[in-house]
Amino acid sequence: MDTARIASLRSAPVPPARHLIDGEHLDASDGATYQVISPIDGKPFTTMPAGTAADAQSAIAAARTAFDDGRWRGMGPKARKTVMLRWADQIEANALEIAVLGVRENGTEIAMALKAEPLSAAATIRYYAEAIDKLNGEIAPTEPGTLGLVHREPAGVVGAIIPWNFPLMIGAWKLGPALAAGCSVVLKPAETASLSLLRIAELGHEAGLPPGVLNIVTGTGAVVGAAIAESMQVDVLAFTGSGATGRKLLEAAARSNLKRVYLELGGKSPNIVFADAPDLDEAAKVSAAGIFRNSGQVCVAGSRLLVERQVHDAFVEKLVAHARAMKVGDPLDPETAAGAINSQRQLDQTLNFITEARSLGRKIVTGGNRIHEETGGFYMAPTIVAGVEPNDRIAQQEVFGPVLAVMPFETEEEAVALANGTDYGLAAAVWTANLSRAHRMVRQIRAGVVHVNTYGGADLTVPLGGVGQSGNGHDKSLHAFDKYLDLKTAWIKL
Ligand code: NAD
């Protein structure tokens, strides 16, 4: 990694950000802004428009007009593909600059951010661009004398609302298929992770996205997000974030135009280690990364460790060694394994879980405290809590911080019961060398993805989505198109 370039970018002045609406950079309609605080040192480094409902409405109107006049969906697949491929190339060409900008705002360690943010966004946009001219309709097997055609048409205006942990990766999971399908989009990034999205949207326009097709409105969920959710002009709402917000979006859709709502929510994902795992050292190494990278701010983080009792103590010891060896701190140091927590609020919430676990007599095996406070940044030591009871809040609720809750189990049945014992169902892992057991576990665990003898890393070719209160609908893979395309039947008498 080009450390000299990172050093010069880390303190480069960042001009006040502006919305991107109808191809134009705009301030909030009332001129209001808020400060962008870097979690690296707790200091403000630029400002962001505090968007108003009117800003959201003008972006939606621009997207509506762009959709209705066909300037994008009517362009033809080859031309749209060319624009999106060019966009992906430009994101890739500016990857380091974009990654550093994003890290200054959200705190993810640069080694991960570079791959998971601009480079993954470029790969996602390219993947969906390449699919544009391969989306066929269908001819139905009707009786003679009729012809049944099934057209796949862009669904219209998409409202996308996303969180702060991986704004570009998650943003591209919505933008890639939505734009490739021919939709127009209004995207609201999280309050604490908007800069890099604004930057890639700008590159999209330079690559040839017509004005109004991709609009970014910054500001709070309660104002901008709610205005998108309540709009009569938005056809599809694609959301990643918390269950509490997801619930509000469903209500808003019911109150307004019954727009389709796709929710990618949180998880409390079980990582299940059997004594017969092929390599317990490898399992410990991967499991530590599976919870502690990006300081645990990962929707699929393996935040509940279920370990077969006979290897429990030895395995926890291995994990503790990895947790203590992890370099936590300055996210712009390429050697850092876990950067900053996104905000003071998120840090405080995470520490509250630890205080509660302590008061219940649970064992804080390592970590449990804020570190590097002298920097002014928001850092926390990788934390392992053992002796957790299945109904503890730390075992039931998403912490979204570097905190692993550990529970022992005796039998496969008990492991399944514990694994399925939360309201969530996003991700899981099983470590075992027993092939039959691995398949039995995959079938029995309620989750959108079950890893076997690994954790994380599932690529774009497979869908990601949850069951239960982890949501509905899927990002990634060709299945993501289902959210942004409508089926239309032509029934023709011959
Ligand atoms: P959040 O729900 O508070 O915020 C997410 C987005 O929703 C933000 O842009 C926010 O401004 C907006 N929002 C908030 N209130 C709103 C409202 N009333 N109306 C409309 N929009 C509103 O979540 P967060 O704390 O930013 O993100 C963390 C959550 O996201 C975690 O639960 C995490 O698991 C989840 N997440 C899920 C996935 C996944 O793919 N399943 C990926 C990453 C994060």
Short mmCIF file of all heavy atoms in Angstrom, two decimals, residues 363-429:
data_model
loop_
_atom_site.label_atom_id
_atom_site.label_comp_id
_atom_site.label_asym_id
_atom_site.label_seq_id
_atom_site.Cartn_x
_atom_site.Cartn_y
_atom_site.Cartn_z
N LYS A 363 -17.81 -13.45 32.70
CA LYS A 363 -16.36 -13.28 32.79
C LYS A 363 -15.81 -12.52 31.58
O LYS A 363 -15.94 -12.98 30.44
CB LYS A 363 -15.73 -14.68 32.85
CG LYS A 363 -14.29 -14.65 33.23
CD LYS A 363 -13.80 -16.03 33.62
CE LYS A 363 -12.29 -15.94 33.82
NZ LYS A 363 -11.60 -17.14 33.44
N ILE A 364 -15.23 -11.36 31.82
CA ILE A 364 -14.60 -10.61 30.71
C ILE A 364 -13.18 -11.19 30.58
O ILE A 364 -12.29 -10.86 31.36
CB ILE A 364 -14.52 -9.09 31.02
CG1 ILE A 364 -15.85 -8.54 31.57
CG2 ILE A 364 -14.06 -8.32 29.77
CD1 ILE A 364 -17.05 -8.67 30.67
N VAL A 365 -13.02 -12.08 29.62
CA VAL A 365 -11.76 -12.83 29.52
C VAL A 365 -10.64 -11.95 28.99
O VAL A 365 -9.48 -12.09 29.37
CB VAL A 365 -11.94 -14.07 28.60
CG1 VAL A 365 -10.74 -14.98 28.70
CG2 VAL A 365 -13.20 -14.81 28.95
N THR A 366 -11.00 -11.06 28.09
CA THR A 366 -10.00 -10.09 27.62
C THR A 366 -10.73 -8.85 27.13
O THR A 366 -11.89 -8.92 26.73
CB THR A 366 -9.11 -10.68 26.49
OG1 THR A 366 -8.05 -9.75 26.22
CG2 THR A 366 -9.87 -10.93 25.21
N GLY A 367 -10.06 -7.70 27.17
CA GLY A 367 -10.66 -6.45 26.68
C GLY A 367 -11.69 -5.90 27.63
O GLY A 367 -11.53 -5.97 28.84
N GLY A 368 -12.75 -5.34 27.05
CA GLY A 368 -13.84 -4.80 27.85
C GLY A 368 -13.72 -3.30 28.09
O GLY A 368 -14.55 -2.71 28.77
N ASN A 369 -12.70 -2.67 27.52
CA ASN A 369 -12.48 -1.25 27.83
C ASN A 369 -12.14 -0.42 26.59
O ASN A 369 -11.68 -0.93 25.58
CB ASN A 369 -11.34 -1.11 28.84
CG ASN A 369 -10.09 -1.81 28.34
OD1 ASN A 369 -10.10 -3.01 28.03
ND2 ASN A 369 -9.01 -1.07 28.24
N ARG A 370 -12.36 0.87 26.76
CA ARG A 370 -11.93 1.83 25.73
C ARG A 370 -10.40 1.92 25.76
O ARG A 370 -9.80 1.81 26.83
CB ARG A 370 -12.54 3.20 26.06
CG ARG A 370 -12.18 4.24 25.04
CD ARG A 370 -12.87 5.58 25.33
NE ARG A 370 -12.60 6.51 24.25
CZ ARG A 370 -13.11 7.71 24.15
NH1 ARG A 370 -13.94 8.15 25.07
NH2 ARG A 370 -12.81 8.50 23.14
N ILE A 371 -9.78 2.11 24.63
CA ILE A 371 -8.33 2.29 24.59
C ILE A 371 -7.96 3.52 23.75
O ILE A 371 -8.82 4.05 23.04
CB ILE A 371 -7.59 1.03 24.04
CG1 ILE A 371 -8.15 0.63 22.67
CG2 ILE A 371 -7.67 -0.12 25.01
CD1 ILE A 371 -7.39 -0.50 22.01
N HIS A 372 -6.72 3.92 23.83
CA HIS A 372 -6.18 5.08 23.09
C HIS A 372 -7.04 6.33 23.28
O HIS A 372 -7.22 7.11 22.34
CB HIS A 372 -6.10 4.78 21.58
CG HIS A 372 -5.38 3.52 21.23
ND1 HIS A 372 -4.25 3.08 21.86
CD2 HIS A 372 -5.65 2.59 20.26
CE1 HIS A 372 -3.85 1.94 21.32
NE2 HIS A 372 -4.68 1.61 20.37
N GLU A 373 -7.54 6.51 24.49
CA GLU A 373 -8.44 7.65 24.73
C GLU A 373 -7.71 8.97 24.50
O GLU A 373 -8.32 9.97 24.08
CB GLU A 373 -8.99 7.58 26.15
CG GLU A 373 -10.26 8.37 26.31
CD GLU A 373 -11.00 8.10 27.61
OE1 GLU A 373 -10.69 7.09 28.28
OE2 GLU A 373 -11.87 8.92 27.93
N GLU A 374 -6.39 8.96 24.74
CA GLU A 374 -5.59 10.19 24.59
C GLU A 374 -5.62 10.74 23.16
O GLU A 374 -5.38 11.92 22.93
CB GLU A 374 -4.14 9.95 25.06
CG GLU A 374 -3.28 9.03 24.17
CD GLU A 374 -3.67 7.56 24.20
OE1 GLU A 374 -4.55 7.18 25.01
OE2 GLU A 374 -3.11 6.78 23.40
N THR A 375 -5.96 9.88 22.17
CA THR A 375 -6.00 10.35 20.78
C THR A 375 -7.28 11.15 20.51
O THR A 375 -7.38 11.83 19.49
CB THR A 375 -6.00 9.16 19.79
OG1 THR A 375 -7.20 8.39 20.04
CG2 THR A 375 -4.79 8.27 19.95
N GLY A 376 -8.27 10.99 21.40
CA GLY A 376 -9.57 11.61 21.16
C GLY A 376 -10.46 10.73 20.28
O GLY A 376 -11.63 11.00 20.08
N GLY A 377 -9.87 9.64 19.74
CA GLY A 377 -10.62 8.75 18.85
C GLY A 377 -11.41 7.70 19.64
O GLY A 377 -11.30 7.60 20.86
N PHE A 378 -12.20 6.91 18.89
CA PHE A 378 -13.13 5.97 19.54
C PHE A 378 -12.65 4.54 19.32
O PHE A 378 -13.03 3.90 18.33
CB PHE A 378 -14.54 6.16 18.95
CG PHE A 378 -14.94 7.61 18.83
CD1 PHE A 378 -15.50 8.10 17.66
CD2 PHE A 378 -14.74 8.49 19.89
CE1 PHE A 378 -15.86 9.44 17.54
CE2 PHE A 378 -15.11 9.83 19.79
CZ PHE A 378 -15.66 10.31 18.60
N TYR A 379 -11.82 4.06 20.23
CA TYR A 379 -11.22 2.73 20.07
C TYR A 379 -11.60 1.84 21.23
O TYR A 379 -11.75 2.29 22.37
CB TYR A 379 -9.69 2.85 20.01
CG TYR A 379 -9.21 3.74 18.89
CD1 TYR A 379 -8.92 5.09 19.13
CD2 TYR A 379 -9.06 3.25 17.60
CE1 TYR A 379 -8.49 5.92 18.11
CE2 TYR A 379 -8.63 4.08 16.56
CZ TYR A 379 -8.35 5.42 16.83
OH TYR A 379 -7.94 6.23 15.81
N MET A 380 -11.72 0.56 20.92
CA MET A 380 -12.06 -0.39 21.99
C MET A 380 -11.27 -1.68 21.81
O MET A 380 -11.08 -2.15 20.67
CB MET A 380 -13.56 -0.69 21.95
CG MET A 380 -13.97 -1.60 23.09
SD MET A 380 -15.76 -1.67 23.24
CE MET A 380 -15.87 -3.13 24.28
N ALA A 381 -10.81 -2.25 22.91
CA ALA A 381 -10.04 -3.50 22.86
C ALA A 381 -10.96 -4.64 22.45
O ALA A 381 -12.11 -4.71 22.90
CB ALA A 381 -9.45 -3.79 24.22
N PRO A 382 -10.47 -5.55 21.59
CA PRO A 382 -11.26 -6.74 21.28
C PRO A 382 -11.63 -7.46 22.58
O PRO A 382 -10.77 -7.64 23.45
CB PRO A 382 -10.29 -7.59 20.44
CG PRO A 382 -9.32 -6.61 19.86
CD PRO A 382 -9.19 -5.53 20.89
N THR A 383 -12.90 -7.79 22.69
CA THR A 383 -13.43 -8.23 23.99
C THR A 383 -14.08 -9.61 23.89
O THR A 383 -14.88 -9.85 22.98
CB THR A 383 -14.47 -7.19 24.47
OG1 THR A 383 -13.81 -5.93 24.59
CG2 THR A 383 -15.10 -7.59 25.78
N ILE A 384 -13.72 -10.48 24.83
CA ILE A 384 -14.34 -11.81 24.86
C ILE A 384 -15.02 -11.97 26.22
O ILE A 384 -14.40 -11.76 27.27
CB ILE A 384 -13.28 -12.90 24.65
CG1 ILE A 384 -12.62 -12.72 23.26
CG2 ILE A 384 -13.90 -14.29 24.79
CD1 ILE A 384 -11.49 -13.69 22.96
N VAL A 385 -16.30 -12.32 26.18
CA VAL A 385 -17.07 -12.51 27.41
C VAL A 385 -17.48 -13.97 27.48
O VAL A 385 -18.19 -14.46 26.60
CB VAL A 385 -18.33 -11.61 27.42
CG1 VAL A 385 -19.03 -11.71 28.76
CG2 VAL A 385 -17.97 -10.16 27.11
N ALA A 386 -17.03 -14.67 28.51
CA ALA A 386 -17.35 -16.10 28.64
C ALA A 386 -18.41 -16.32 29.72
O ALA A 386 -18.74 -15.40 30.47
CB ALA A 386 -16.07 -16.87 28.98
N GLY A 387 -18.94 -17.53 29.72
CA GLY A 387 -19.94 -17.87 30.72
C GLY A 387 -21.25 -17.14 30.50
O GLY A 387 -22.04 -16.93 31.42
N VAL A 388 -21.50 -16.77 29.25
CA VAL A 388 -22.72 -16.02 28.93
C VAL A 388 -23.91 -16.99 28.95
O VAL A 388 -23.79 -18.15 28.56
CB VAL A 388 -22.55 -15.39 27.52
CG1 VAL A 388 -23.85 -14.86 26.98
CG2 VAL A 388 -21.48 -14.29 27.57
N GLU A 389 -25.04 -16.52 29.43
CA GLU A 389 -26.26 -17.35 29.44
C GLU A 389 -27.09 -17.01 28.19
O GLU A 389 -27.10 -15.86 27.75
CB GLU A 389 -27.10 -17.05 30.69
CG GLU A 389 -26.46 -17.52 31.98
CD GLU A 389 -26.38 -19.04 32.08
OE1 GLU A 389 -27.27 -19.73 31.52
OE2 GLU A 389 -25.41 -19.54 32.70
N PRO A 390 -27.78 -18.02 27.62
CA PRO A 390 -28.47 -17.80 26.34
C PRO A 390 -29.43 -16.62 26.33
O PRO A 390 -29.62 -16.00 25.29
CB PRO A 390 -29.24 -19.11 26.11
CG PRO A 390 -28.53 -20.13 26.95
CD PRO A 390 -27.89 -19.40 28.09
N ASN A 391 -30.03 -16.29 27.49
CA ASN A 391 -30.99 -15.18 27.46
C ASN A 391 -30.39 -13.84 27.84
O ASN A 391 -31.11 -12.83 27.90
CB ASN A 391 -32.19 -15.49 28.36
CG ASN A 391 -33.04 -16.58 27.72
OD1 ASN A 391 -33.13 -16.66 26.49
ND2 ASN A 391 -33.60 -17.45 28.54
N ASP A 392 -29.10 -13.79 28.09
CA ASP A 392 -28.46 -12.49 28.39
C ASP A 392 -28.67 -11.56 27.19
O ASP A 392 -28.68 -12.01 26.04
CB ASP A 392 -26.95 -12.65 28.58
CG ASP A 392 -26.61 -13.32 29.92
OD1 ASP A 392 -27.53 -13.64 30.68
OD2 ASP A 392 -25.40 -13.52 30.16
N ARG A 393 -28.73 -10.28 27.48
CA ARG A 393 -28.87 -9.31 26.39
C ARG A 393 -27.70 -9.42 25.41
O ARG A 393 -27.86 -9.31 24.21
CB ARG A 393 -28.96 -7.90 26.99
CG ARG A 393 -29.70 -6.89 26.12
CD ARG A 393 -30.04 -5.65 26.91
NE ARG A 393 -28.86 -4.89 27.28
CZ ARG A 393 -28.33 -3.88 26.57
NH1 ARG A 393 -28.90 -3.52 25.44
NH2 ARG A 393 -27.26 -3.24 26.99
N ILE A 394 -26.51 -9.70 25.96
CA ILE A 394 -25.31 -9.77 25.12
C ILE A 394 -25.34 -11.00 24.19
O ILE A 394 -24.60 -11.07 23.21
CB ILE A 394 -24.05 -9.76 26.03
CG1 ILE A 394 -22.86 -9.19 25.28
CG2 ILE A 394 -23.74 -11.14 26.58
CD1 ILE A 394 -21.66 -8.92 26.16
N ALA A 395 -26.22 -11.97 24.53
CA ALA A 395 -26.35 -13.17 23.69
C ALA A 395 -27.54 -13.06 22.74
O ALA A 395 -27.72 -13.88 21.84
CB ALA A 395 -26.52 -14.41 24.56
N GLN A 396 -28.38 -12.06 22.99
CA GLN A 396 -29.62 -11.93 22.21
C GLN A 396 -29.62 -10.74 21.27
O GLN A 396 -30.21 -10.78 20.20
CB GLN A 396 -30.83 -11.81 23.16
CG GLN A 396 -31.18 -13.09 23.89
CD GLN A 396 -31.74 -14.14 22.94
OE1 GLN A 396 -32.43 -13.83 21.99
NE2 GLN A 396 -31.44 -15.41 23.19
N GLN A 397 -28.96 -9.66 21.68
CA GLN A 397 -29.04 -8.42 20.89
C GLN A 397 -27.74 -8.14 20.18
O GLN A 397 -26.66 -8.48 20.67
CB GLN A 397 -29.39 -7.23 21.80
CG GLN A 397 -30.79 -7.33 22.33
CD GLN A 397 -31.18 -6.12 23.15
OE1 GLN A 397 -30.54 -5.07 23.10
NE2 GLN A 397 -32.25 -6.26 23.90
N GLU A 398 -27.86 -7.49 19.05
CA GLU A 398 -26.67 -7.15 18.29
C GLU A 398 -25.90 -6.04 19.00
O GLU A 398 -26.48 -5.01 19.33
CB GLU A 398 -27.11 -6.67 16.91
CG GLU A 398 -25.98 -6.45 15.97
CD GLU A 398 -26.48 -6.07 14.59
OE1 GLU A 398 -27.40 -5.24 14.50
OE2 GLU A 398 -25.94 -6.60 13.61
N VAL A 399 -24.61 -6.26 19.26
CA VAL A 399 -23.81 -5.21 19.89
C VAL A 399 -23.26 -4.27 18.82
O VAL A 399 -23.22 -3.07 18.98
CB VAL A 399 -22.64 -5.84 20.70
CG1 VAL A 399 -21.78 -4.75 21.31
CG2 VAL A 399 -23.18 -6.77 21.78
N PHE A 400 -22.84 -4.84 17.71
CA PHE A 400 -22.22 -4.07 16.62
C PHE A 400 -20.96 -3.38 17.12
O PHE A 400 -20.71 -2.21 16.87
CB PHE A 400 -23.22 -3.08 16.03
CG PHE A 400 -23.16 -3.02 14.52
CD1 PHE A 400 -23.34 -4.16 13.76
CD2 PHE A 400 -22.91 -1.82 13.85
CE1 PHE A 400 -23.28 -4.12 12.37
CE2 PHE A 400 -22.83 -1.77 12.47
CZ PHE A 400 -23.02 -2.93 11.73
N GLY A 401 -20.17 -4.15 17.84
CA GLY A 401 -18.89 -3.69 18.35
C GLY A 401 -18.00 -4.91 18.50
O GLY A 401 -18.43 -6.05 18.24
N PRO A 402 -16.73 -4.73 18.97
CA PRO A 402 -15.78 -5.84 19.02
C PRO A 402 -15.98 -6.74 20.24
O PRO A 402 -15.11 -6.82 21.11
CB PRO A 402 -14.43 -5.13 19.07
CG PRO A 402 -14.72 -3.84 19.77
CD PRO A 402 -16.12 -3.45 19.39
N VAL A 403 -17.13 -7.36 20.32
CA VAL A 403 -17.49 -8.11 21.52
C VAL A 403 -17.99 -9.50 21.14
O VAL A 403 -18.95 -9.64 20.38
CB VAL A 403 -18.60 -7.37 22.29
CG1 VAL A 403 -19.03 -8.17 23.51
CG2 VAL A 403 -18.14 -5.98 22.70
N LEU A 404 -17.33 -10.50 21.69
CA LEU A 404 -17.70 -11.89 21.41
C LEU A 404 -18.29 -12.52 22.67
O LEU A 404 -17.67 -12.50 23.73
CB LEU A 404 -16.45 -12.67 20.99
CG LEU A 404 -16.66 -14.14 20.64
CD1 LEU A 404 -17.56 -14.28 19.42
CD2 LEU A 404 -15.32 -14.82 20.37
N ALA A 405 -19.50 -13.08 22.55
CA ALA A 405 -20.15 -13.76 23.67
C ALA A 405 -19.95 -15.26 23.49
O ALA A 405 -20.27 -15.81 22.44
CB ALA A 405 -21.64 -13.42 23.69
N VAL A 406 -19.41 -15.92 24.52
CA VAL A 406 -19.04 -17.34 24.39
C VAL A 406 -19.93 -18.22 25.27
O VAL A 406 -20.16 -17.91 26.44
CB VAL A 406 -17.57 -17.56 24.79
CG1 VAL A 406 -17.15 -19.00 24.49
CG2 VAL A 406 -16.65 -16.58 24.07
N MET A 407 -20.40 -19.31 24.66
CA MET A 407 -21.22 -20.28 25.40
C MET A 407 -20.78 -21.70 25.05
O MET A 407 -20.54 -21.98 23.88
CB MET A 407 -22.70 -20.14 25.00
CG MET A 407 -23.37 -18.94 25.60
SD MET A 407 -25.01 -18.67 24.89
CE MET A 407 -24.57 -17.68 23.48
N PRO A 408 -20.70 -22.59 26.03
CA PRO A 408 -20.36 -23.98 25.71
C PRO A 408 -21.62 -24.77 25.34
O PRO A 408 -22.73 -24.37 25.68
CB PRO A 408 -19.81 -24.50 27.05
CG PRO A 408 -20.48 -23.67 28.09
CD PRO A 408 -20.86 -22.35 27.46
N PHE A 409 -21.44 -25.88 24.62
CA PHE A 409 -22.56 -26.81 24.39
C PHE A 409 -22.03 -28.24 24.47
O PHE A 409 -20.83 -28.47 24.37
CB PHE A 409 -23.23 -26.53 23.03
CG PHE A 409 -22.38 -26.87 21.83
CD1 PHE A 409 -22.33 -28.16 21.32
CD2 PHE A 409 -21.63 -25.89 21.20
CE1 PHE A 409 -21.53 -28.47 20.21
CE2 PHE A 409 -20.84 -26.18 20.10
CZ PHE A 409 -20.79 -27.48 19.60
N GLU A 410 -22.99 -29.18 24.68
CA GLU A 410 -22.59 -30.59 24.84
C GLU A 410 -22.87 -31.41 23.59
O GLU A 410 -22.09 -32.28 23.23
CB GLU A 410 -23.38 -31.24 26.00
CG GLU A 410 -23.33 -30.50 27.33
CD GLU A 410 -22.10 -30.85 28.15
OE1 GLU A 410 -21.33 -31.74 27.72
OE2 GLU A 410 -21.90 -30.20 29.20
N THR A 411 -24.02 -31.17 22.96
CA THR A 411 -24.44 -32.04 21.85
C THR A 411 -24.79 -31.19 20.62
O THR A 411 -25.01 -29.98 20.72
CB THR A 411 -25.73 -32.81 22.22
OG1 THR A 411 -26.76 -31.83 22.44
CG2 THR A 411 -25.54 -33.66 23.46
N GLU A 412 -24.87 -31.89 19.49
CA GLU A 412 -25.27 -31.22 18.25
C GLU A 412 -26.65 -30.57 18.40
O GLU A 412 -26.86 -29.44 17.95
CB GLU A 412 -25.29 -32.28 17.15
CG GLU A 412 -25.23 -31.73 15.76
CD GLU A 412 -25.15 -32.85 14.72
OE1 GLU A 412 -24.23 -33.68 14.79
OE2 GLU A 412 -26.03 -32.89 13.85
N GLU A 413 -27.57 -31.29 19.05
CA GLU A 413 -28.94 -30.77 19.21
C GLU A 413 -28.91 -29.47 20.03
O GLU A 413 -29.62 -28.51 19.72
CB GLU A 413 -29.85 -31.79 19.93
CG GLU A 413 -30.16 -33.04 19.16
CD GLU A 413 -28.95 -33.97 18.96
OE1 GLU A 413 -28.04 -33.97 19.82
OE2 GLU A 413 -28.90 -34.65 17.92
N GLU A 414 -28.09 -29.49 21.07
CA GLU A 414 -28.02 -28.29 21.91
C GLU A 414 -27.41 -27.13 21.11
O GLU A 414 -27.86 -25.98 21.21
CB GLU A 414 -27.16 -28.57 23.15
CG GLU A 414 -27.29 -27.46 24.19
CD GLU A 414 -26.28 -27.60 25.34
OE1 GLU A 414 -25.56 -28.61 25.40
OE2 GLU A 414 -26.21 -26.66 26.14
N ALA A 415 -26.43 -27.44 20.27
CA ALA A 415 -25.80 -26.39 19.45
C ALA A 415 -26.84 -25.77 18.52
O ALA A 415 -26.90 -24.54 18.36
CB ALA A 415 -24.63 -26.96 18.65
N VAL A 416 -27.68 -26.62 17.92
CA VAL A 416 -28.71 -26.10 17.00
C VAL A 416 -29.71 -25.23 17.77
O VAL A 416 -30.07 -24.13 17.33
CB VAL A 416 -29.45 -27.26 16.29
CG1 VAL A 416 -30.67 -26.76 15.53
CG2 VAL A 416 -28.50 -28.01 15.36
N ALA A 417 -30.11 -25.72 18.95
CA ALA A 417 -31.10 -24.96 19.74
C ALA A 417 -30.52 -23.60 20.12
O ALA A 417 -31.20 -22.57 20.02
CB ALA A 417 -31.50 -25.75 20.98
N LEU A 418 -29.26 -23.57 20.56
CA LEU A 418 -28.65 -22.29 20.92
C LEU A 418 -28.52 -21.40 19.69
O LEU A 418 -28.83 -20.20 19.73
CB LEU A 418 -27.25 -22.52 21.51
CG LEU A 418 -27.18 -23.03 22.96
CD1 LEU A 418 -25.75 -23.42 23.30
CD2 LEU A 418 -27.68 -21.96 23.92
N ALA A 419 -28.07 -21.99 18.59
CA ALA A 419 -27.85 -21.21 17.36
C ALA A 419 -29.14 -20.54 16.92
O ALA A 419 -29.15 -19.37 16.52
CB ALA A 419 -27.31 -22.11 16.24
N ASN A 420 -30.24 -21.28 17.00
CA ASN A 420 -31.52 -20.75 16.52
C ASN A 420 -32.28 -19.99 17.61
O ASN A 420 -33.42 -19.57 17.38
CB ASN A 420 -32.40 -21.90 16.01
CG ASN A 420 -31.85 -22.47 14.70
OD1 ASN A 420 -31.06 -21.83 14.03
ND2 ASN A 420 -32.27 -23.69 14.36
N GLY A 421 -31.65 -19.78 18.75
CA GLY A 421 -32.37 -19.21 19.90
C GLY A 421 -32.37 -17.69 19.97
O GLY A 421 -32.38 -17.14 21.07
N THR A 422 -32.32 -17.01 18.84
CA THR A 422 -32.50 -15.54 18.86
C THR A 422 -33.55 -15.19 17.80
O THR A 422 -33.96 -16.05 17.02
CB THR A 422 -31.20 -14.77 18.51
OG1 THR A 422 -30.96 -14.90 17.10
CG2 THR A 422 -30.00 -15.27 19.29
N ASP A 423 -33.91 -13.90 17.76
CA ASP A 423 -34.89 -13.46 16.76
C ASP A 423 -34.25 -13.32 15.38
O ASP A 423 -34.93 -13.12 14.39
CB ASP A 423 -35.46 -12.09 17.14
CG ASP A 423 -36.33 -12.18 18.38
OD1 ASP A 423 -36.86 -13.27 18.64
OD2 ASP A 423 -36.44 -11.16 19.10
N TYR A 424 -32.91 -13.37 15.35
CA TYR A 424 -32.19 -13.10 14.10
C TYR A 424 -31.96 -14.36 13.27
O TYR A 424 -32.14 -15.47 13.75
CB TYR A 424 -30.82 -12.48 14.42
CG TYR A 424 -30.89 -11.08 14.96
CD1 TYR A 424 -30.48 -10.82 16.27
CD2 TYR A 424 -31.35 -10.04 14.18
CE1 TYR A 424 -30.52 -9.52 16.77
CE2 TYR A 424 -31.39 -8.74 14.68
CZ TYR A 424 -30.98 -8.49 15.98
OH TYR A 424 -31.02 -7.22 16.46
N GLY A 425 -31.48 -14.17 12.05
CA GLY A 425 -31.12 -15.30 11.19
C GLY A 425 -30.34 -14.80 10.00
O GLY A 425 -30.76 -14.92 8.86
N LEU A 426 -29.17 -14.20 10.27
CA LEU A 426 -28.42 -13.64 9.15
C LEU A 426 -27.33 -14.60 8.70
O LEU A 426 -27.33 -15.09 7.58
CB LEU A 426 -27.84 -12.27 9.54
CG LEU A 426 -27.21 -11.48 8.40
CD1 LEU A 426 -28.20 -11.26 7.26
CD2 LEU A 426 -26.69 -10.13 8.89
N ALA A 427 -26.35 -14.86 9.58
CA ALA A 427 -25.22 -15.71 9.18
C ALA A 427 -24.93 -16.71 10.29
O ALA A 427 -25.43 -16.59 11.41
CB ALA A 427 -24.00 -14.85 8.92
N ALA A 428 -24.11 -17.71 9.96
CA ALA A 428 -23.69 -18.71 10.95
C ALA A 428 -22.46 -19.40 10.38
O ALA A 428 -22.16 -19.26 9.19
CB ALA A 428 -24.80 -19.73 11.19
N ALA A 429 -21.77 -20.14 11.26
CA ALA A 429 -20.66 -20.98 10.78
C ALA A 429 -20.63 -22.26 11.60
O ALA A 429 -21.04 -22.27 12.77
CB ALA A 429 -19.33 -20.27 10.90
#
